[in-house]
Each structure stands twice: as C-alpha cells, then as structure tokens.
Amino acid sequence: MRRILTPTMLLIAFAIVGLVRQPVSRGGAIDNLCDLAGLAISENAATAKTAIVQLRSHGPEGLRALLSVHAELVARHQGRPAALVATGSGEVADPNWQRLQTALDQVSGQRDCHASRLFWYTDFEEAKAAAQREHKPILSLRLLGKLTDEYSCANSRFFRTTLYANDAVGKELRDRFILHWKSVRPVPKVTIDFGDGRKLERTLTGNSIHYVLDSDGRVIDALPGLYGPAAFLRELDRAEKIARRSANLAPAERDQLLAAFHAGRAAAIQTEWQADLAKLGMQVAAANTDQPANQTSSTQASYAAPSAAKTGTVAPSKCITKGPIVVAVTPQTLEAATTEQVWNRIAALHIHDSALDAGSIALLASQHPTAAAAAPVAISKFIVENPLLRMVNAFQRSIALDTVRNEYLLHRQIHKWLAAAPAANLDRFNERVYAELFLTPSSDPWLGLMPADTYTALENNGVSKSK
C-alpha cells in the first residue's frame, strides 16, 4: 500500500534528515565558525581581516574554532625556531603559518597565542558578563603596552613565556578563569644605534600585575610582577577558592571573610620569610610596620617621581649575583637583613617554583633560534656548553629571584592593604599599586627616567616630542 506524503510530512522528514546529517557537536554556529577560521588565513587581506573580526566577536568559541581547523598547521610549527617549510632549494618562510599566527594573536588578544591557546577580553564589561554567565572569577592583567604587541613591558613578555605557555598554568586559566587585560600606559622603548647598521631595541622600566576579581569585578587578590609557574598556580588556587567562598555572601560578611584571609596571608608570608632566613642561619625579628620596604614616605595625594634606578629594584630582573653563604647576622628587621646577596640565596631555596615546562622552553627556543640551533656538542659537554640550556637555567634563576621578592615584599603589602580595607575601586587601587609599590605613578609622565636635577649637556635634556 502506497502512502502519500503531505507537504507537512515532507517538511518534517527533511528536517529530520538535516539533523541526522549534522553532528550534534557541530551546530550551525560552529560550522559557520569553521568557515570563518578557514578564511582567517586567506591570502586576501580584506577577507582575512573580516573573518578575524568575526571570530573575535564570538569569544573563546571563535578561538577554539581557529585552533581546531588549523590544528595540523599548529602542530607542524609548534616550537620551531622559524616558520619555515622545506622546498627543493632549502627552507623558506611558510606564509600560511605567518598568516595563522597573526590571526591567532588577533582573535585571542594575546601575542604567541599558538603557545598559550588563551582568549583574553579587552572590554571589562564583556569580561564581567562572561564571568557571571560561567560562574567564574576574572583574572585581569594590568600592564604597560599591549599584550598583543611584541614590545609590551618586560614582565608581560615573561608572562607569555613562563606562565601562559606553561601547560598546567594554561589549563588552569582556561578552565577556572575569565581572562582580561588592560593597558595602564604605553611602554617606553629605547633604540641604540651603533652607527654601523646594527640597532638594539629594548623596553625600559615597567611592571605588570594580575588581579583576581569576583564575577562582579571586585578585587579578591593581586599578584604583583613575575612569579614562577608553581608559585603562580598556588596563589591562583588560593585566590580562586576564596573568591568562590565569598561569592554568595552578604557584603558585610564578604568583607569580613576577605579581611581575615588577607590578614592571615600577610602573617603567613612573614613567617615564611623568617623561616627562609633561618635556613640560611639568620635569626631575624620581623618589622612591626605596614610600610613597604621600597617606600620611604607615606601615601600622599600626589607622588614624587622616583628615579629609574629605584624603579629598577622593584622588578630585579635579571641580574644574578653570587657570594659566600651568610651564616649569622642580627639586624632589626626582615628588610634590613635581606640584602641583595641574601635574596639570591633565598631564591635558590625556591628554584623548583621557577621550573619551565616543555611548552615554555619550546616558545623560548623559537624566539632565540641561534641558541636553539647551536651546533651539537659531545654529551659530556652538553650540560655546560649548550647555549639554550644555559639560557633556560639563567632565566629560571631570575624567575626564582623575582618570585620571592614579589611575594615577600609586594604581595605581603597588598595583603596588608586589603586586610585594612577592601578595594572599593579597581582603577584607584591599581593606581596605588603603581605609585607606591612599582614606583611608577601616573603623575610622572617620564616613569622616573628624567630626574629634574640631572644635567645632561643636551638641549632640553634630550627631550623631543613628535607632532
């Protein structure tokens, strides 16, 4: 018996066939994102730009589509010192990989996204909306320059290598936080022209800070400067847990919980600092003061411009000194006891916190091809002569030094501030951090690089301003 299908029945049948043909895990929106991901590396610049903008507007889903569609290309080039492809006459730059790197960085909001796979919001209201929708805290980075630029401030560049490219850190950030960054001010750069065609370009003075915020944008904690991966994960875990505990409390209860948390952490950090000194044979009393070690006067409405030399001590990058073990001293305070030599010895106690994983080392190697591609040596000489290994070891020692100083000096002071009063406004609190801890207040447009009483024998002190 033949059954005649009515128009309504035909429509239903076609709809069912369409659902069967389309995998549940790839709805129409995902198919559209996959098409956009393919267009994002088009040779047509206008086409690629349009696709990239649309992918970014889809948030983390847009980035995941871009990574998924081009997974084979990413895997092929991951960690290579240059984006090259083999040809009959040698190796040449791979234009597809170059276009994909550009697309990834623009969609994600972060340079070196191929190593981190992280999506960053730059609109704070969008970040808060995502945090409320997903019931996650926010990790908000404040930095000099932009996270998408190669020449952002030194700390943010080190974050990209040390933290964001680290597999464990990246997973934690993707799974448990909504990410956001905001530029505090442009990063100062200097170019040294050697006069023979060679130029050296670097950034000058600057610091960055990660804020852990609840989904409404209120400050839970703040991690100032560079931390080693293991230490960073510990602090993130601690802050994320207290953020979740405080999420559903009434305002007064939340403030009380956070004040107790910060007071307890300030005391614990002081105890840990004393314990480290004791391991070095030093019995030292803690200072009974809330004054940060690198600040000589109380907070004022306007801040005096510090010298660049002083701001450099806040982020002690990257000069490791060696000396004899200090066996016994009895100064009055922790700050007085912990000289530069002692800081280095404390850092050595925590070197495990700064260990780079394979992802970070691969990114570092890709940025320094001469070290990564150095001629191999005999196994017996590898440990002492491999340039990449020497670079990694020196960088890890530097990270360890930054970690202990940032935790014991700066983070302890932040805990004291937040124990005394909650940060009612993130931007005002951040201004205090940059003025009093980082010593680069917004009131000083020269970031301590142009002391008023210094004679340079240059017209207008060498200052010029582009029109």
Side-chain angles (χ1 to χ4, degrees):
M1 180 177 180
R2 298 176 61 187
R3 177 171 297 180
I4 299 176
L5 297 178
T6 66
T8 300
M9 294 173 66
L10 284 170
L11 288 174
I12 293 173
F14 288 144
I16 292 173
V17 170
L19 288 174
V20 171
R21 290 179 60 188
Q22 185 177 49
V24 174
S25 61
R26 294 183 60 198
I30 299 299
D31 281 337
N32 182 48
L33 290 181
C34 290
D35 292 340
L36 289 172
L39 294 173
I41 65 168
S42 169
E43 294 181 12
N44 185 303
T47 298
K49 181 178 180 180
T50 299
I52 288 169
V53 170
Q54 291 187 53
L55 285 169
R56 171 117 185 120
S57 71
H58 282 83
E61 286 293 327
L63 177 60
R64 282 195 287 269
L66 187 59
L67 287 165
S68 175
V69 168
H70 301 289
E72 189 275 333
L73 185 58
V74 172
R76 191 191 319 155
H77 288 286
Q78 196 77 29
R80 295 191 63 179
L84 303 176
V85 290
T87 67
S89 58
E91 288 191 324
V92 298
D94 182 351
N96 284 330
W97 175 241
Q98 293 173 331
R99 289 193 292 269
L100 179 58
Q101 283 184 297
T102 298
L104 286 169
D105 292 356
Q106 292 180 4
V107 171
S108 70
Q110 184 217 306
R111 185 176 174 84
D112 299 321
C113 169
H114 66 281
S116 72
R117 303 169 184 249
L118 298 175
F119 181 89
W120 296 81
Y121 290 92
T122 54
D123 184 299
F124 192 48
E125 293 306 314
E126 289 183 4
K128 287 199 296 184
Q132 292 163 5
R133 185 170 59 249
E134 299 185 31
H135 306 289
K136 293 179 179 179
I138 300 167
L139 187 72
S140 181
L141 169 66
R142 300 298 172 99
L143 73 158
L144 272 62
K146 299 179 179 179
L147 196 60
T148 48
D149 293 348
E150 180 180 8
Y151 283 91
S152 60
C153 61
N155 267 346
S156 59
R157 299 199 305 272
F158 295 150
F159 295 162
R160 293 197 295 255
T161 303
T162 305
L163 301 177
Y164 308 154
N166 179 282
D167 287 344
V169 173
K171 185 177 187 307
E172 182 84 353
L173 296 182
R174 280 188 296 273
D175 293 349
R176 299 174 69 180
F177 291 90
I178 298 298
L179 305 181
H180 165 264
W181 66 260
K182 179 179 179 179
S183 178
V184 174
R185 62 198 297 178
V187 62
K189 293 184 287 187
V190 61
T191 300
I192 301 173
D193 190 334
F194 287 87
D196 59 1
R198 294 176 302 129
K199 291 184 179 181
L200 183 65
E201 189 170 10
R202 292 287 189 272
T203 58
L204 295 174
T205 193
N207 219 322
S208 307
I209 181 168
H210 290 96
Y211 289 99
V212 178
L213 313 172
D214 67 14
S215 59
D216 292 319
R218 293 181 293 249
V219 176
I220 300 297
D221 200 0
L223 306 181
L226 180 62
Y227 279 68
F232 189 69
L233 283 172
R234 281 200 305 272
E235 296 306 316
L236 280 187
D237 182 67
R238 193 176 279 126
E240 192 258 358
K241 287 178 178 176
I242 199 70
R244 292 191 181 279
R245 284 182 59 193
S246 65
N248 297 317
L249 296 179
E253 293 177 307
R254 181 179 61 245
D255 290 348
Q256 186 178 19
L257 173 67
L258 292 175
F261 166 75
H262 290 295
R265 285 305 304 152
I269 291 171
Q270 179 173 289
T271 299
E272 292 163 10
W273 190 356
Q274 288 175 298
D276 279 348
L277 291 174
K279 292 175 184 176
L280 302 179
M282 303 168 64
Q283 300 297 325
V284 181
N288 186 23
T289 176
D290 286 346
Q291 191 77 353
N294 57 4
Q295 183 72 11
T296 57
S297 61
S298 59
T299 307
Q300 299 177 6
S302 61
Y303 305 99
S307 68
K310 190 172 184 182
T311 63
T313 65
V314 179
S317 287
K318 321 301 175 228
C319 176
I320 306 299
T321 60
K322 296 182 180 179
I325 297 176
V326 179
V327 293
V329 294
T330 55
Q332 294 181 342
T333 67
L334 290 170
E335 290 84 352
T338 315
T339 63
E340 192 67 23
Q341 183 183 95
V342 174
W343 277 122
N344 280 282
R345 303 215 68 85
I346 291 176
L349 298 175
H350 299 274
I351 192 66
H352 56 280
D353 279 342
S354 67
L356 301 180
D357 77 345
S360 292
I361 293 174
L363 179 57
L364 188 153
S366 72
Q367 296 168 339
H368 294 272
T370 54
V377 296
I379 295 299
S380 60
K381 299 168 67 181
F382 178 83
I383 298 300
V384 294
E385 293 191 12
N386 180 268
L388 180 60
L389 185 61
R390 290 202 305 271
M391 182 183 294
V392 168
N393 287 339
F395 187 34
Q396 289 178 155
R397 291 193 297 271
S398 174
I399 296 166
L401 178 59
D402 271 14
T403 300
V404 294
R405 291 185 69 154
N406 289 334
E407 181 68 3
Y408 290 174
L409 289 174
L410 306 187
H411 197 192
R412 184 175 65 128
Q413 185 59 47
I414 288 172
H415 280 308
K416 289 181 178 181
W417 287 344
L418 294 175
N425 180 279
L426 174 57
D427 288 333
R428 284 198 296 269
F429 188 79
N430 187 64
E431 171 61 30
R432 185 181 189 185
V433 168
Y434 271 84
E436 296 185 45
L437 294 189
F438 295 164
L439 304 181
T440 51
S442 59
S443 58
D444 174 21
W446 299 102
L447 291 168
L449 295 169
M450 194 180 71
D453 57 353
T454 299
Y455 175 65
T456 62
L458 296 171
E459 185 176 345
N460 198 31
N461 267 343
V463 172
S464 64
K465 189 173 183 180
S466 59
K467 296 180 181 179

